[in-house]
Structure formats: structure tokens, C-alpha cells
């Protein structure tokens, strides 16, 4: 099958990481993939040497004629079977181009409904496949009145060749940060703002550190509340030296290998939990908030634990429980296999193609209305 991915969003987002991993998975499964991308973006660099044919282009908005021209050129040359989009400002251009050229369209939505009412009504019905990245997100669309057949679930894929256990790299990271090799490291990786639950996590970690002298915290990321978090951590003289801040990193794989456990403590609803499956792919157990789509990213009791968002005593106790090496080892042994079975690029790419085949079969059925079938 031939795919044309359009992802001209220049920012570093979870949707961008998803875009890269799915394209890589399709190539690895023997499909042909072209992509229209913003040059020098995360996606552009992420797809270098991947077998994806990259083409420069950019939609500055949904009416940008240069964006349409760039995609049309690749459609003419590559003759794709499907157009695939991940970013909101490209949804309508892809639907219009698909209708014009007789090519079906698959769109991914990485948020719970936040589109304008017109787009939220029509896009899931006009695209031949409209994917939410969790059951939680799909339920949000159904609650807005979108018919069940119009929204499918396809989880974020993770490249398990990239995200894998790497003890040597983990030791090197610890050494570079002055963390003892025998320390128990509670890791956080992501954006630092209040909705991510970083301040209740800090409080729970401080309490756990006083009970467990081997416990260190490694904070990977940046954001509007990073300075306030650093300041709060520094006010506790008995634990301040055991907090380590790295700032933002585009490559978290080495940091995951230095963690003993990952904390995903969001107090605001999350559509999914990509950082959770990335950590588990590296063999790291996860402590995660029981909120939004996060529970779909782990196997509670086997690869991690779900905890009440913002509940400091519950988080403190869970952190201390995972300071026990036997408990962590049990979860680590299950974590990577869980991701390989449910979220690896090979698995998700195969599920994606199966969904598209089902859409094509449905479009060929005489019982299907014209709005659901691609224009030819």
C-alpha cells in the first residue's frame, strides 16, 4: 500500500512523535510512504534514513495555496492509496484534496474534542477513517454526538528498537548527574506545569525521600512552572541535593534507562499517556494517575500502578513500595513485553492497515452512503 503523510507542523509534540513512529512502522511492514513536511522540524529529522521519502512543504493555515501545491505535486508523482494527517490545520486541506483526487483520507486526533463545532461535526464523517488515540478520547467524541462508526481507536505506537532497556547508558546518565549507581531513581519526563501534577508529586517525593535515603528524583523537561518547581525543591535542605533537573531534551531514551520508576502524575485530563509506554518499553515500571486515557497505557499491578490524581499520601506510599527491588523487578519483566504486544510500531502499523482495508471494503458496499465513500 502507498501512503502520503502530511505533517507540516514544526513543533515538538506528541502528535509529531506519533507521526514519525507510525510512518516508520509502515515502512518496516513493507509499505511505501511519502511525507510532506516542514523542513528542519522534529518530524523531518525523525524520518531521516527511515525509508520515508521526504518532501518540503508547509500549511501556514488551512487556505495556504503553497501547502496545497506541495501536496498536489507529491500526489501526482507518488499516486498514494491513502492520505494521512495528524494536525488540525491540515484536516480540511486533506479532506478537500482527497475528494478532488479520489483518494481516501485517514485523520488522527490527539485531543479530546476541541475543534470548532462545524469541523467536529463534519470531519469524522467526511474522512474515510477518523482515529482517536484512546477509548477515552473516542468516548468524548461519542458524547458530542459523533456516530460510533465514524470514530475508531488506534493507539500511539512506540519504536521498541529505539526505546529499549540500556543499562550501560543508564549508568552513564547517572554518573554524569552525580547520582549514585545504587540509588533508587524516581523519574519524571515531560512538560512542567501545574496540570501535570508536578507539585503534588514533589510533595509525595519529599516525604518518601525522608523515609528512604537511597531515593533520588530526576526531573526531565521544561515548562512554565519549571522555575517554581526547582525553587520548591531547593527549600528542603535535607532532600534538595537529591533532586536533579536536566531541562528539556528531545531524546529521553537514555534518561528512561537511568530511572528505577517513572511518575506520570497528571491532575488534568490526558488524552493518552505516551510517556508511560515509552518508559515501559525501556523496562521501567510506571506510577500513573487514574485519569483520562492514562489507564489504557499500562497493565495495573503488572507493569505499574494507577493512583488517585493529586493524592499525596497514596503517591508517597506507592513510591516507597517501588523502592523494593523485588517489586520493581516483577513489573520490569512484564513492562516491555506488554508494550511489544500492544503498542509496538509493527503491531500498530498492522492494525492501521487492517482498519483501512475495512474502510475500503465498507466503501465498496452498495449500502454505504456517498458521504462515507471516497470520491472517484
Amino acid at each position: 500500500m502507498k501512503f502520503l503523510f502530511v505533517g507540516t507542523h514544526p513543533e515538538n509534540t506528541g502528535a509529531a512523535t506519533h507521526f514519525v513512529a507510525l510512518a516508520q512502522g509502515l515502512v518496516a511492514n513493507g509499505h511505501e510512504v511519502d511525507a510532506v513536511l516542514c523542513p528542519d522540524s522534529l518530524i523531518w529529522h525523525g524520518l531521516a534514513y527511515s525509508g520515508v521519502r521526504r518532501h518540503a512543504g508547509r500549511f501556514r493555515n488551512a487556505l495556504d495555496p503553497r501547502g496545497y501545491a506541495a501536496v498536489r505535486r507529491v500526489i501526482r508523482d507518488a499516486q498514494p492509496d491513502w492520505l494521512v494527517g495528524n494536525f488540525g490545520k491540515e484536516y480540511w486541506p486533506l479532506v478537500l484534496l482527497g475528494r478532488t483526487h479520489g483518494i481516501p483520507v485517514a485523520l488522527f486526533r490527539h485531543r479530546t474534542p476541541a475543534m470548532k463545532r462545524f469541523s467536529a461535526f463534519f470531519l469524522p464523517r467526511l474522512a474515510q477513517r477518523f482515529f482517536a488515540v484512546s477509548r477515552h478520547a473516542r468516548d468524548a467524541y461519542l458524547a458530542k454526538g459523533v456516530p460510533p462508526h465514524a470514530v475508531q481507536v488506534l493507539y500511539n505506537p512506540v519504536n521498541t528498537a529505539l526505546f529499549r532497556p540500556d543499562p550501560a547508558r543508564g549508568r552513564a546518565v547517572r554518573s554524569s548527574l552525580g547520582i549514585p549507581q545504587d540509588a533508587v531513581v524516581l523519574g519524571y519526563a515531560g512538560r512542567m506545569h501545574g496540570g501535570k501534577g508536578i507539585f503534588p508529586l514533589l510533595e509525595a517525593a519529599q516525604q518518601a525521600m525522608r523515609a528512604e535515603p537511597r531515593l533520588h528524583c530526576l526531573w526531565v523537561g521544561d515548562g512554565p512552572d519549571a522555575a517554581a518547581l526547582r525553587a520548591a525543591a531547593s527549600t528542603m535542605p535535607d532532600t534538595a541535593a537529591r533532586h536533579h533537573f536536566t531541562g528539556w531534551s528531545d531524546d529521553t531514551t537514555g534518561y528512561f534507562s537511568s530511572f528505577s520508576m517513572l511518575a506520570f502524575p497528571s491532575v488534568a485530563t490526558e488524552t493518552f499517556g505516551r510517556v508511560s509506554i515509552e518508559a515501559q518499553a525501556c523496562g521501567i515500571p510506571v506510577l500513573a494517575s487514574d485519569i483520562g486515557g492514562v489507564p489504557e497505557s499500562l497493565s495495573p499491578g503488572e507493569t505499574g500502578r494507577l493512583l488517585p490524581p493529586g493524592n499525596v499520601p497514596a503517591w508517597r506510599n506507592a513510591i516507597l513500595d517501588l523502592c523494593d527491588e523485588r517489586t520493581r523487578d516483577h513489573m520490569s519483566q512484564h513492562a516491555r513485553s506488554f508494550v511489544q504486544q500492544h503498542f509496538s510500531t509493527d503491531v500498530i502499523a498492522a492494525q492501521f492497515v487492517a482498519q483501512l482495508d475495512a474502510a475500503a471494503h465498507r466503501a465498496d458496499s452498495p449500502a454505504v452512503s456517498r458521504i462515507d465513500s471516497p470520491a472517484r
Side-chain angles (χ1 to χ4, degrees):
M1 195 175 288
K2 296 180 181 180
F3 297 92
L4 173 52
F5 278 56
V6 179
T8 69
H9 198 285
E11 296 180 15
N12 182 354
T13 63
T17 307
H18 168 275
F19 188 105
V20 170
L22 181 59
Q24 290 172 335
L26 289 168
V27 170
N29 283 11
H31 302 282
E32 295 183 30
V33 180
D34 286 82
V36 176
L37 311 170
C38 178
D40 205 33
S41 63
L42 178 146
I43 300 175
W44 181 271
H45 294 297
L47 291 176
Y49 315 110
S50 66
V52 174
R53 293 181 291 268
R54 300 175 298 169
H55 309 268
R58 185 174 180 184
F59 279 94
R60 290 161 178 81
N61 55 62
L63 300 175
D64 188 348
R66 289 170 292 185
Y68 284 90
V71 176
R72 283 195 182 100
R73 284 194 295 271
V74 183
I75 288 175
R76 180 194 63 210
D77 296 338
Q79 296 292 302
D81 299 304
W82 282 85
L83 302 179
V84 183
N86 247 25
F87 302 102
K89 67 183 175 183
E90 293 157 358
Y91 289 166
W92 278 111
L94 286 174
V95 166
L96 294 172
L97 286 162
R99 295 278 156 168
T100 301
H101 293 274
I103 304 171
V105 175
L107 301 178
F108 286 88
R109 187 68 180 168
H110 293 265
R111 300 177 183 175
T112 49
M115 294 187 289
K116 293 180 180 178
R117 183 177 298 179
F118 181 86
S119 293
F121 180 86
F122 281 105
L123 284 171
R125 293 165 169 86
L126 290 173
Q128 282 65 45
R129 272 292 182 257
F130 187 88
F131 292 103
V133 295
S134 65
R135 294 191 302 273
H136 163 75
R138 181 176 186 268
D139 288 345
Y141 276 96
L142 300 188
K144 292 288 187 179
V146 177
H149 77 267
V151 187
Q152 313 301 318
V153 175
L154 194 72
Y155 289 119
N156 277 273
V158 167
N159 186 337
T160 54
L162 178 64
F163 289 91
R164 58 183 176 81
D166 192 343
R169 194 172 180 193
R171 288 191 295 269
V173 168
R174 289 190 179 204
S175 179
S176 70
L177 295 171
I179 300 174
Q181 296 298 332
D182 62 349
V184 178
V185 178
L186 170 68
Y188 172 88
R191 196 157 181 263
M192 293 185 177
H193 66 79
K196 293 293 185 180
I198 54 176
F199 293 106
L201 175 63
L202 175 64
E203 186 177 349
Q206 300 279 34
Q207 294 180 15
M209 283 174 159
R210 295 188 182 106
E212 174 51 77
R214 299 175 301 152
L215 183 62
H216 286 241
C217 286
L218 178 50
W219 303 87
V220 181
D222 204 352
D225 292 326
L229 184 72
R230 287 175 181 259
S234 69
T235 61
M236 303 293 179
D238 55 334
T239 61
R242 288 189 275 154
H243 288 281
H244 311 269
F245 293 86
T246 69
W248 185 259
S249 174
D250 288 334
D251 181 8
T252 55
T253 53
Y255 292 111
F256 284 135
S257 291
S258 71
F259 295 168
S260 305
M261 66 189 91
L262 174 84
F264 189 179
S266 292
V267 294
T269 298
E270 298 276 358
T271 305
F272 185 54
R274 184 176 185 86
V275 69
S276 169
I277 56 175
E278 288 176 344
Q280 290 171 82
C282 296
I284 306 303
V286 175
L287 300 176
S289 288
D290 189 359
I291 192 170
V294 176
E296 299 172 53
S297 71
L298 72 156
S299 177
E302 289 294 316
T303 69
R305 291 186 181 172
L306 291 172
L307 301 166
N311 186 318
V312 171
W315 279 82
R316 177 201 62 218
N317 292 339
I319 292 167
L320 288 172
D321 284 347
L322 259 67
C323 286
D324 178 72
E325 187 173 0
R326 289 173 298 179
T327 302
R328 290 200 312 276
D329 285 348
H330 171 81
M331 292 184 174
S332 294
Q333 289 168 12
H334 290 85
R336 182 166 172 82
S337 61
F338 172 74
V339 172
Q340 288 174 321
Q341 292 171 23
H342 298 285
F343 302 106
S344 69
T345 50
D346 286 351
V347 167
I348 299 299
Q351 292 177 357
F352 180 52
V353 171
Q355 288 271 18
L356 302 189
D357 285 341
H361 177 75
R362 185 170 181 268
D364 289 339
S365 169
V368 175
S369 65
R370 291 178 63 85
I371 198 170
D372 290 321
S373 57
R376 292 291 179 188

